[in-house]
Amino acid sequence: MTVSCAAGKEVKEEKKINNNLIAAIGVIVSFIAIYIASISVFLAFLGAAGILAANLWGANGVRTVAKYGIGTGVPSVGMLALGGAVGAVFAGLYIGKMLGIEVAAPILAFILSMITGLLIGICARYILKMNIPVMVRCMTEICGAGALLFMSQFVTITGSYGYAALEKLAEVGVVLFIFIIGALGMLHPYNACLGADERHGRTLKLALATGSAQIILAGIVSIYFLGSVSILTLLIGAVAWVVTYRDFVKTSFKEGIVVSTGLIPEVEKK
Amino acid sequence: MDINTGLGLVALMGAAATIAGAAEDLESDIGSQSNPNSQVQLAPQVGVLHRIFNKAISGEPPAYAFYSSIAATVAWILMSLNFNIFAAFAIGAFVASIFHGIYASTAHIGRIASARRYGQPIYLDVMLNHLPGIMSHGFVATFCVLVLSYVLHAYFEHPFPFVMLAFIWGITVGAIGSSTGDVHYGSEREFQNQPFGCGLNAAFSGKIVTKAEVGTRSNIDNAWFCAKFGGPATGITFGLIVFLDNWRSLLFTPEMSIVVGAVMIILLVVANRVLELWARKNYGPYPEKLALLEG
Amino acid sequence: MDPITAIVLLIIAGILIVIAVHHIPVGGAPAAMAMATGVGTGTVQLATGAGLTGLVSAGYMYHFAGVDPYIVLLSGGIGSTLMIGITMLIGNVIYIFGVGVPPVSAKVKFDPITKDRQDIYVSPGTEGHGIPTVSFVSGIIGGFIGGVGGSLTYVVLNEVGINPAISAFIAIGFFIANAVIAAYNIAGTIEGFHDPKFKRLPKAILSSLIVSGFIAAVVIGGVFL
């Protein structure tokens, strides 16, 4: 069996996916999801939409910045998204509770997180002199997405987004579980699709699949906090995951060269 | 707790850590995760097509933190429902290994599909053959991380919650696996076509070995090779860290434990110097470089 | 503890973490193929692994032994150093017996500590391999400073009245954010304090000052509000 090296030419030029549109979806859908899901535990499953949107936005940010090759690998960017958001989320929710404005707490946490990201971006771009033009924008975006992902998870798991939720989750350590599934969800799509024929659309499809996997995990944990209501989250996550995972695998199989088995093909040496 | 029970528990933690480290390294060799992965990724670009699994989930530390946290969270929920702890650990580690398999499959498919222009095929049999090995080694590693976190949490009453300890030890075991055992896979096994006793010449980057002793090489062969040295060495590293660190805080007063720790560190520096001298004396300089001595 | 002291201490902790990361010899992916001197893994990963191991020791000391904070910090430092020291030692064992290369640095002609000749032991086409004494010592120093930095974050957050689990959570996020800043400054590989890249340290300290300053201000500011 011989596969020619010219296979690459068949890859079509894809149409551009607008980063601003993804950012808008990430912010708006997440906030709507966070607020609606906190109304009642029966609506907690709606937080799933927030998880998906925030994860998609973060993964897109990771892709945009990591495409430049930052020398430390894709994972560090993803870890930074959540790591930078930790302090801001704590401060935002705590201040919200102390001032008695719980409603504004997510917005405050989101803004503080964006500022943290902005500062990291400015430092990286202008002090550390990294030659990556999108650095400032992307660092701001991924830290913002990290904060939204945290709060979407809080609301899906416990049914509320306030400081009480953070405290409950932190005391049992589950908050670190949220941290790492969120970080992996954001960094995995680009890390897994890295290569010469990486395509934006395919990477985002994988981002949706990792987001759905997070919904399933959130559903498992929320059994402890919310009881049988969380079956809804689990079901939605399972359906979303099957759809998105199938979609990603189909796309990859269409774009790659799939053989069920065989020896290594001969390639003409350049 | 009396000192003998304490020592026994510390030894148990050390043993669990040793198994976890060894399984972790072999798992990453089956998937060629972490740093040696860069050569597998590069290979098609330099015209070396292969039948090797390309599991770029993320670096090993975040990946192991991920599996351990999932396993710990599930186990903790089951334990709060009064499950037997070992059943809870097993179910937790099982759930984690399912997610491990899912992420491993997307990483492999995604990366290989992105190498299309070099003509690298996605072999379905490679994926299906390797996933069980990856998931089962991941299961062993995660289970042992849970055991050691649980001992620390429940018997030594560590103030951090169980899930948090599992997360931290997950990061640590991943960091150790990618720093020690992977070197054996990356420097030696991937490049057995190079002479023993040299680092990889940058000119040969990506030219990994794709032929096995008989037939085509797969990662199962790599794990077989690394199980002789890289895996156990990783296990010993993690076991030593967990054992020594807890041993000194258990046996001595806080002030003395710092002194003991400092002595251990000095011994490590000395041991490293002895090793270095041994290697310099026995291996000697590279013949190609001897001209530098005169010039 | 008053807010200003707490903020200043947190900033110091952030700067310590950044300094620590610059000391730890990491070769990134090339080191895993014995193409570069240092431990064969990423900067953030190794530093985080070491820092968190120290955090476990420090957390234990802080809550049970009832000792002075400085003992807690030292204990965290020793915990991290043990982790990084054993990892580097076994790493070297693998380089020497598994790959058959002597540990050697390619950035200097003579090891600044042992005065051993380095360049003739570098195998052709590589940037050094293994962890020579100077990098080992640098790594030990880095591990210690990093452990102290991580534990300091944890202790300060506890002292201002945040509960242990949330303190540890914030400390982990804080550690990772600072480690990533340092990693961006290092961009791949560093051999230790003798590496020319080490001279870039002030830029990372300035960045860490800004970022940790902001995080510290919002966290401590929030608590004292």
Side-chain angles (χ1 to χ4, degrees):
Chain A
M1 185 192 70
T2 317
V3 180
S4 85
C5 271
K9 284 176 193 149
E10 297 157 25
V11 180
K12 281 187 293 254
E13 270 299 303
E14 58 169 323
K15 52 180 190 294
K16 276 253 190 295
I17 296 168
N18 191 339
N19 287 341
N20 292 335
L21 180 69
I22 293 177
I25 291 175
V27 178
I28 296 169
V29 173
S30 303
F31 269 117
I32 293 177
I34 291 170
Y35 282 117
I36 294 186
S38 65
I39 294 174
S40 140
V41 288
F42 295 102
L43 291 175
F45 68 89
L46 285 174
I51 297 177
L52 267 186
N55 190 59
L56 184 72
W57 185 30
N60 190 48
V62 170
R63 176 186 182 273
T64 318
V65 70
K67 241 178 29 173
Y68 286 84
I70 44 175
T72 54
V74 186
S76 66
V77 188
M79 297 285 277
L80 180 68
L82 284 274
V86 165
V89 168
F90 165 79
L93 298 184
Y94 194 83
I95 294 171
K97 177 191 157 206
M98 284 295 129
L99 297 183
I101 41 166
E102 290 261 306
V103 184
I107 298 173
L108 189 62
F110 176 62
I111 291 171
L112 288 178
S113 187
M114 295 264 278
I115 298 176
T116 314
L118 182 70
L119 287 176
I120 295 175
I122 289 174
C123 287
R125 182 75 181 85
Y126 298 107
I127 298 177
L128 305 180
K129 301 264 185 336
M130 292 180 87
N131 198 11
I132 299 176
V134 294
M135 196 78 189
V136 179
R137 181 194 156 126
C138 284
M139 286 295 148
T140 316
E141 279 189 314
I142 58 174
C143 283
L148 286 178
L149 188 60
F150 262 124
M151 291 181 292
S152 303
Q153 289 275 15
F154 290 169
V155 81
T156 315
I157 293 174
T158 65
S160 78
Y161 51 72
Y163 182 72
L166 171 63
E167 211 164 23
K168 252 192 280 180
L169 289 168
E171 259 158 26
V172 290
V174 174
V175 76
L176 278 164
F177 159 84
I178 297 173
F179 176 101
I180 197 70
I181 63 172
L184 253 270
M186 282 186 192
L187 70 89
H188 181 70
Y190 185 65
N191 202 38
C193 291
L194 191 73
D197 294 313
E198 189 265 352
R199 195 172 65 82
H200 199 171
R202 184 154 58 90
T203 305
L204 293 184
K205 278 180 181 168
L206 182 51
L208 289 177
T210 58
S212 315
Q214 286 182 60
I215 300 174
I216 301 180
L217 289 168
I220 295 175
V221 184
S222 78
I223 292 174
Y224 178 82
F225 291 97
L226 297 182
S228 53
V229 186
S230 51
I231 301 292
L232 270 174
T233 317
L234 262 176
L235 274 179
I236 287 176
V239 171
W241 179 77
V242 169
V243 172
T244 50
Y245 182 81
R246 265 175 63 104
D247 193 26
F248 169 75
V249 172
K250 268 189 183 159
T251 317
S252 303
F253 280 2
K254 212 171 74 194
E255 290 175 14
I257 308 157
V258 182
V259 292
S260 52
T261 183
L263 294 174
I264 298 170
E266 298 289 325
V267 188
E268 64 270 39
K269 288 274 185 297
K270 280 173 201 157
Chain B
M1 171 186 348
D2 72 301
I3 206 82
N4 285 333
T5 321
L7 276 177
L9 286 171
V10 169
L12 173 67
M13 281 164 67
T18 309
I19 301 171
E24 193 273 356
D25 182 57
L26 296 182
E27 183 273 316
S28 79
D29 294 337
I30 300 177
S32 37
Q33 202 176 356
S34 210
N35 301 301
N37 175 279
S38 61
Q39 301 298 312
V40 177
Q41 174 74 9
L42 195 61
Q45 288 185 37
V46 296
V48 179
L49 302 186
H50 57 77
R51 277 169 57 88
I52 285 179
F53 202 91
N54 187 341
K55 182 166 77 86
I57 293 178
S58 72
E60 279 175 53
Y64 266 86
F66 177 70
Y67 320 140
S68 305
S69 321
I70 293 178
T73 307
V74 173
W76 161 77
I77 291 172
L78 292 175
M79 282 191 289
S80 67
L81 299 173
N82 284 330
F83 259 63
N84 175 296
I85 54 167
F86 284 106
F89 290 170
I91 296 172
F94 177 72
V95 173
S97 72
I98 300 273
F99 278 90
H100 189 169
I102 291 169
Y103 276 66
S105 67
T106 52
H108 179 67
I109 298 172
R111 281 246 171 152
I112 304 281
S114 292
R116 180 199 172 100
R117 71 179 58 175
Y118 311 114
Q120 170 68 43
I122 303 175
Y123 293 103
L124 292 181
D125 65 329
V126 167
M127 191 167 91
L128 297 177
N129 284 341
H130 285 66
L131 280 179
I134 289 172
M135 289 162 68
S136 53
H137 280 78
F139 177 89
V140 175
T142 328
F143 187 91
C144 291
V145 168
L146 291 192
V147 170
L148 106 97
S149 310
Y150 186 78
V151 171
L152 199 56
H153 174 72
Y155 295 101
F156 292 103
E157 298 177 340
H158 198 283
F160 295 175
F162 173 55
V163 179
M164 185 177 278
L165 285 171
F167 170 91
I168 292 178
W169 289 124
I171 290 232
T172 310
V173 72
I176 290 163
S178 69
S179 325
T180 55
D182 278 7
V183 173
H184 193 222
Y185 171 51
S187 317
E188 192 48 34
R189 182 63 174 172
E190 275 187 343
F191 293 97
Q192 280 185 310
N193 48 2
Q194 309 288 330
F196 181 80
C198 66
L200 173 65
N201 191 323
F204 296 111
S205 285
K207 304 236 165 88
I208 56 172
V209 179
T210 54
K211 299 279 196 308
E213 286 70 10
V214 176
T216 315
R217 182 178 281 190
S218 75
N219 284 80
I220 312 276
D221 303 328
N222 292 343
W224 164 82
F225 178 84
C226 294
K228 308 284 193 292
F229 188 48
T234 310
I236 287 175
T237 317
F238 191 41
L240 273 180
I241 290 169
V242 170
F243 180 78
L244 290 181
D245 198 25
N246 290 296
W247 177 78
R248 73 180 172 98
S249 16
L250 178 78
L251 274 193
F252 303 98
T253 60
E255 290 81 3
M256 268 313 285
S257 79
I258 288 168
V259 177
V260 172
V263 171
M264 285 177 194
I265 289 161
I266 292 168
L267 288 178
L268 286 176
V269 177
V270 173
N272 187 62
R273 178 67 186 148
V274 170
L275 260 182
E276 188 188 8
L277 281 177
W278 185 91
R280 288 173 69 91
K281 184 163 154 279
N282 286 284
Y283 295 163
Y286 287 91
E288 297 92 327
K289 297 273 174 126
L290 280 176
L292 288 172
L293 269 182
E294 289 125 34
Chain C
M1 192 178 280
D2 66 300
I4 302 295
T5 322
I7 291 177
V8 170
L9 285 176
L10 278 184
I11 292 176
I12 291 175
I15 291 175
L16 284 179
I17 295 166
V18 166
I19 296 175
V21 176
H22 280 75
H23 274 91
I24 297 176
V26 283
M33 265 65 64
M35 290 163 79
T37 304
V39 180
T41 190
T43 329
V44 185
Q45 327 286 13
L46 186 61
T48 312
L52 298 191
T53 312
L55 195 61
V56 172
S57 316
Y60 189 73
M61 281 286 169
Y62 186 72
H63 289 278
F64 286 102
V67 290
D68 290 339
Y70 77 92
I71 297 275
V72 177
L73 300 188
L74 284 178
S75 187
I78 296 281
S80 292
T81 321
L82 270 179
M83 184 273 178
I84 208 128
I86 297 173
T87 306
M88 289 191 297
L89 182 71
I90 309 272
N92 255 349
V93 168
I94 293 186
Y95 280 112
I96 292 171
F97 298 109
V99 191
V101 291
V104 65
S105 155
K107 296 273 168 71
V108 285
K109 200 170 171 190
F110 293 95
D111 187 316
I113 293 178
T114 60
K115 309 289 180 216
D116 283 343
R117 181 83 186 236
Q118 300 288 306
D119 51 358
I120 51 174
Y121 289 89
V122 178
S123 57
T126 68
E127 295 284 312
H129 26 66
I131 302 122
T133 304
V134 61
S135 299
F136 198 92
V137 172
S138 178
I140 295 282
I141 297 171
F144 186 75
I145 300 176
V148 172
S151 325
L152 182 59
T153 323
Y154 177 73
V155 170
V156 170
L157 292 172
N158 264 296
E159 292 282 318
V160 298
I162 304 175
N163 77 33
I166 295 187
S167 301
F169 171 54
I170 300 176
I172 291 171
F174 189 78
F175 196 100
I176 291 175
N178 277 299
V180 170
I181 290 174
Y184 284 171
N185 194 33
I186 293 169
T189 65
I190 189 164
E191 287 188 3
F193 54 68
H194 61 291
D195 193 299
K197 278 186 187 171
F198 192 73
K199 295 203 181 69
R200 295 187 198 167
L201 180 61
K203 290 197 281 184
I205 292 181
L206 180 61
S207 310
S208 166
L209 188 75
I210 297 171
V211 175
S212 344
F214 179 74
I215 298 179
V218 296
V219 169
I220 304 293
V223 172
F224 281 95
L225 203 65

